[in-house]
Amino acid sequence: MKWLACRNLTGPIAMLFKVALQSLLNRRMTVLLTVLSIAISIFVLLGVEHVRKEARESFGRTVSGVDLIVGARTSQLNLLLYSVFRIGNATNNITWQSYQTLAANKAVAWAIPISLGDSHRGYRVMGTSKDYFRHFRYGSQSPLVFNSGQAFDAVFDVVLGAEVAKKLNYKIGQQLVLSHGLGKTSFTKHDDKPFQVVGILEATGTPVDQTLHVSLAGIEAIHIDWQNGVQRPSMKISAEQALQHDLTPKNITAFMLGLNSKMATFRLQRAINDYRYEPLVAILPGVALAELWQMMSTMEKVLLLVSLLVLLASLIGMATMLLASMRERYPEISVLRAIGARPWFIFTLIELEALLISVAGIAVALSALTLSVAQLQDYLGEHYGLFISRDFYSADVGFLLLLVLIATFTIALIPAINAYRRSVGANRHNS
Amino acid sequence: MVQSNAMTQPETVLELEDVCFSYTNCQPVLSIPDWQVRAGQQLFLHGPSGCGKTTLLNLLTGMLTPSHGSIRLLNETLTSLSGSQRDRFRAHHIGVVFQQFNLISYLSVADNIRLAAHFGKRRSKNIDQDTASLLEQLQMPTRLLKQRADNLSVGQQQRVAIARALINHPEILVVDEPTSALDEAAGEAFMKLLLSLSRANNSTLLFVSHDHRLAADFDEMVSLPELNRANSHAV
């Protein structure tokens, strides 16, 4: 009994699939092009969605537990981007004096100074204090963890982010030279003062992975014989000599503050913004991020709309293709009707062909997306501090794909109803 | 020895009563007050083009329904069945051979026949064996089964169409100008095979053509213009 029921169920469906597949294979050139056009539009749609979501995720994950970020007066977005995401440059430095004054405020629990401007083979170098490893948090309050070694101690010690160590294949104890400026191929190297790798951090999926961390004294030491951005040959100072100097920094780029009580945040922010001795700005990372999202959201909506329109265009292209093929398929419909196929069979056949084209398009798009996300991952991380995960399958993607299939079905109603009408009407075969 | 069914009065397979059909409401294309066909008969339905042949065949196969009147096929009143019931009835009881384009071009010969068997609900029972035997009777090599239908010559395609039409052992075989795309020799060979196979299958054969020369071997010839009263006022 069960077996019989099963046969009855699979029989017609298997037959329908077979006819639909053979029919598509018969027109493989047009079908292939249609599949490609749908694949490209789904690729764009899912790609945009994935990058959008991952960008938010990645940005939101980068900093947590920091109450205020302070820098020279600029827009809050600019300060956030250069201090946390290593995107763009500081407009101005702030004095060590200001930092010390503000860090000593009784509302402040901890302070992390940041000094940027140098690089190593395209990766940015950040001068900071040991407090950075103690207080900095990312993701959901995760602290930085050492994969090997420990925090810097000596002036010429460096701690590498996970990605830097992996990509450049550095081990503890190795020596490296920092470059002046941020270019990947900088011609001005601090090669007279090499640094030694003393620690490598665990991967965090944030710009920390792409950063080399040195002490502020280290930053000071390599610039001790520099003035206005150039090394002055007349007053060259060797690494050993540099250690004899006072290596207290005169300037830093920005600093992060953790407060004893959240309640004090706004009060302190106002105090810093009104700081009398220097034009400073203090931002709340969350608020600045929200501003960023607000700016991006219009752009995101436009992108989403464009990708939906591209999808609609390719689905209409598919419907056009199916509709155009109807004329040549009329004898086929007559034959199917003559051997007893119901008009619904014809209707379902056309719908099934459309859905098979879309499913093939989805399969191609997903494979292409898997490949390109894997390819783009490193690039986006290195160049934009954007960490997108390889795993783009989510409920949202499932929903979008379901939407694609529903749209396919709906648009394929045009050729399917056309075929249905033809098959219900009189058979004027051969005439 | 006398066969028993020859003794009894042959039953009627087809009965048209007061059938009228028009595509639009104004002018009837077809009007047949009364017409019967006996079981097992091989009937040549003659008519020039444009006299409503194809319309009649579409009515008989249930693809069209008459404006009024009743059509009875095999004791089933076709005109009172629903569309899907008519489709099922056609699949089970009627074999159709068209002028040309009888096969789905992108399917293999075997799949074309299998598809007809599928709609005729003869899915599991020795279809492949029946197909092979039909092909043999049609004097075609079985290696053609794997070929795509449009790889065959037109003559071969028309013969496969007979096999396709007979796979469900239909009581009625409806054939519409099947030789018009064939040359004379192929046409003659086709007619011989068609008549002998429909007889072997005990099918009632309704053969429509404008070509008198094909009528020779049929039991009876009916002229459609005489049958059809729709245009009688014009004659």
Side-chain angles (χ1 to χ4, degrees), chain A residues 211-268:
Chain A
T211 306
L212 295 89
H213 309 84
V214 300
S215 63
L216 290 172
I219 295 280
E220 199 57 29
I222 54 178
H223 294 108
I224 202 162
D225 45 5
W226 285 56
Q227 230 164 45
N228 297 329
V230 283
Q231 191 171 23
R232 296 190 11 177
S234 57
M235 43 180 296
K236 249 185 175 271
I237 295 169
S238 74
E240 292 75 27
Q241 288 170 318
L243 294 178
Q244 307 307 315
H245 284 71
D246 173 21
L247 294 176
T248 310
K250 288 157 202 72
N251 295 298
I252 56 171
T253 314
F255 57 93
M256 301 175 184
L257 293 178
L259 305 185
N260 290 318
S261 154
K262 301 272 179 210
M263 308 292 279
T265 310
F266 291 105
R267 195 160 40 79
L268 189 61

Side-chain angles (χ1 to χ4, degrees), chain A residues 22-34:
Chain A
Q22 296 287 337
S23 157
L24 290 177
L25 283 175
N26 184 43
R27 290 168 289 146
R28 54 179 84 78
M29 227 29 224
T30 45
V31 167
L32 187 71
L33 288 173
T34 312

Side-chain angles (χ1 to χ4, degrees), chain B residues 37 41 72 97 99 103 140 144 162 171 194 214 218:
Chain B
V37 176
Q41 214 180 4
R72 286 178 67 79
V97 178
Q99 202 166 351
L103 307 176
M140 299 179 82
L144 289 181
I162 300 181
E171 289 88 338
L194 175 67
L214 301 173
F218 284 82

Side-chain angles (χ1 to χ4, degrees), chain B residues 100-197:
Chain B
Q100 54 178 325
F101 308 123
N102 271 294
L103 307 176
I104 294 172
S105 59
Y106 53 79
L107 292 181
S108 71
V109 168
D111 281 339
N112 263 286
I113 297 173
R114 223 171 267 148
L115 196 60
H118 162 79
F119 286 113
K121 291 279 181 280
R122 282 198 64 236
R123 255 167 269 159
S124 53
K125 291 180 228 149
N126 310 325
I127 301 162
D128 294 343
Q129 212 176 311
D130 286 6
T131 306
S133 120
L134 274 168
L135 243 58
E136 198 185 323
Q137 293 173 65
L138 290 161
Q139 295 157 20
M140 299 179 82
T142 45
R143 66 178 158 78
L144 289 181
L145 280 171
K146 288 200 181 71
Q147 297 257 356
R148 260 176 67 131
D150 55 1
N151 280 348
L152 270 56
S153 72
V154 182
Q156 285 174 323
Q157 287 186 34
Q158 290 300 79
R159 276 187 273 169
V160 172
I162 300 181
R164 204 267 324 270
L166 287 176
I167 189 70
N168 295 324
H169 303 298
E171 289 88 338
I172 301 162
L173 195 57
V174 173
V175 183
D176 183 10
E177 301 268 22
T179 58
S180 61
L182 306 180
D183 62 41
E184 206 176 315
E188 257 172 52
F190 176 89
M191 288 308 295
K192 265 204 187 104
L193 289 168
L194 175 67
L195 286 163
S196 74
L197 258 79

Side-chain angles (χ1 to χ4, degrees), chain A residues 110 112 129-137 143-144 146 151:
Chain A
W110 49 263
I112 301 170
S129 69
K130 283 171 105 171
D131 284 341
Y132 181 71
F133 303 107
R134 209 170 301 137
H135 296 299
F136 185 78
R137 297 283 184 275
L144 296 175
F146 280 89

